Amino acid sequence: MNQRGFATLEVILMVMVIGILASIAVPRFTSVTTAANTAKIQADLSTIDTAIAVYQMEKGSDPADIPALVTAKYLQAKPEPPTGKCYIDGTESPVPTGDYTINSDNRAILGTNNTADKFHLPKNSSGGGNETP
């Protein structure tokens, strides 16, 4: 009989190779998701800050809260923060719980006084970014 197919050893080796490749790829995907969550939070907070500034210029007063910005058509809808992890001051952390709010300084925040400038990727560990060789 002339049978064609894979031997058991070949199948085991292929499963091992796929497992090794997956173990390398999965951590890279999670860091990309964390960076995407950070970018979304930054964009949401900046958008809310811009809406607050325009509201203040046009109305001459401060908005009571984010739903007031939606009602006055300065925002299309109330943004929802992502779930998972993000970078706060360059450190990977869980996304702060709660909704976006406006603090006493009329800045958009997420969590406890986390403004847009708190959310950023870690600095490059190679020793600098703007240096020329």
Side-chain angles (χ1 to χ4, degrees), residues 13-123:
L13 288 174
M14 287 306 297
V15 168
M16 287 176 52
V17 168
I18 291 170
I20 290 169
L21 291 175
S23 69
I24 292 169
V26 168
R28 291 181 187 258
F29 289 133
T30 57
S31 68
V32 169
T33 303
T34 304
N37 285 344
T38 304
K40 181 188 181 336
I41 293 169
Q42 285 177 325
D44 288 347
L45 291 172
S46 294
T47 300
I48 296 167
D49 281 338
T50 301
I52 291 169
V54 173
Y55 184 98
Q56 289 171 327
M57 286 176 37
E58 290 185 359
K59 303 277 186 181
S61 62
D62 298 332
D65 52 17
I66 293 174
L69 294 171
V70 174
T71 302
K73 306 282 189 213
Y74 291 97
L75 292 174
Q76 288 183 355
K78 184 177 180 183
E80 295 295 327
T83 58
K85 293 188 176 187
C86 66
Y87 292 108
I88 301 175
D89 286 330
T91 304
E92 188 174 315
S93 306
V95 171
T97 57
D99 288 332
Y100 296 112
T101 56
I102 300 173
N103 69 5
S104 60
D105 296 331
N106 284 312
R107 299 268 324 263
I109 59 169
L110 177 61
T112 309
N113 230 10
N114 293 317
T115 55
D117 55 340
K118 293 264 189 177
F119 296 92
H120 57 83
L121 300 176
K123 295 195 188 279

